[in-house]
Amino acid sequence: LLLNLLVIGFSLVIYSLLVGITAGYMFSSRKPAGVAFIGIALAVLGSNLLTILILGFLADYNMIRDISQTMHESFAASDSLLQGLGLQSNLDETTIDAMVEVLRMLLPTILIAVSVIVAFMYYHVVSFTMKKLGESIPKLPSLDEIQLPKKILWYFVFATMGMIFLTLTGELDNFIY
């Protein structure tokens, strides 16, 4: 327990340092709002990945195994609840394992989405704080003004088509992140 608490504390310190140093550099060098936001989002993503690695190696924590175990326990509890009400449950072990597999495949997307959301909140908290201190930080553009580069969109389309093809042909046994 003590080792786990130390590892989590160390991970939070690294998280705060990486994101804080990145945001501080971006704002002190007067980078445009989009560049600063992307830098903060990448710092949050890197911190999340580093935290997962630290927890995996030092604390012997496997996130997918823990999620799988939690899902099995939850569905077992809901199954017993449904049986107590006189209803039947359609969930079996293969269905739960398929859900865990989908979650495992979506983990990179979830990490990126969480990083963008955290960076968005962090940017607004920092801009509010800096405005109170008398510093000016450029505002983020509104959502209707933001456009992704077309190369990224085409990369996403081809990567998605490739994953669908590999999944349908059965060659995508273990998803490589």
Side-chain angles (χ1 to χ4, degrees), residues 54-69:
I54 289 172
L55 287 174
F57 287 122
L58 295 181
D60 194 30
Y61 176 74
N62 186 344
M63 184 171 31
I64 299 297
R65 183 180 51 209
D66 188 39
I67 290 172
S68 173
Q69 181 181 1

Side-chain angles (χ1 to χ4, degrees), residues 1-39:
L1 178 66
L2 182 63
L3 176 66
N4 289 346
L5 290 175
L6 287 173
V7 168
I8 290 171
F10 183 69
S11 298
L12 288 174
V13 168
I14 289 176
Y15 186 88
S16 299
L17 281 174
L18 284 176
V19 175
I21 289 172
T22 303
Y25 171 76
M26 293 291 178
F27 293 138
S28 68
S29 61
R30 304 280 183 211
K31 299 284 185 193
V35 173
F37 178 74
I38 290 173

Side-chain angles (χ1 to χ4, degrees), residues 2 8 19-20 41 44 56 62 74 94 107 129 133 135 153 156 169:
L2 182 63
I8 290 171
V19 175
V44 170
N62 186 344
S74 296
T94 56
L107 188 61
T129 305
L133 294 174
E135 295 288 326
L153 293 175
F156 176 76
T169 58

Side-chain angles (χ1 to χ4, degrees), residues 153-167:
L153 293 175
W154 282 111
Y155 172 74
F156 176 76
V157 167
F158 287 126
T160 304
M161 289 181 355
M163 276 187 54
I164 291 170
F165 174 75
L166 290 175
T167 303

Side-chain angles (χ1 to χ4, degrees), residues 24-101:
Y25 171 76
M26 293 291 178
F27 293 138
S28 68
S29 61
R30 304 280 183 211
K31 299 284 185 193
V35 173
F37 178 74
I38 290 173
I40 294 170
L42 290 175
V44 170
L45 179 63
S47 299
N48 288 340
L49 292 174
L50 191 60
T51 301
I52 289 171
L53 286 174
I54 289 172
L55 287 174
F57 287 122
L58 295 181
D60 194 30
Y61 176 74
N62 186 344
M63 184 171 31
I64 299 297
R65 183 180 51 209
D66 188 39
I67 290 172
S68 173
Q69 181 181 1
T70 303
M71 286 179 74
H72 281 282
E73 291 171 0
S74 296
F75 287 126
S78 67
D79 190 32
S80 67
L81 180 66
L82 287 174
Q83 287 178 355
L85 294 173
L87 301 171
Q88 286 185 339
S89 173
N90 296 337
L91 295 174
D92 56 354
E93 293 294 321
T94 56
T95 307
I96 297 170
D97 291 337
M99 289 179 190
V100 171
E101 185 65 25

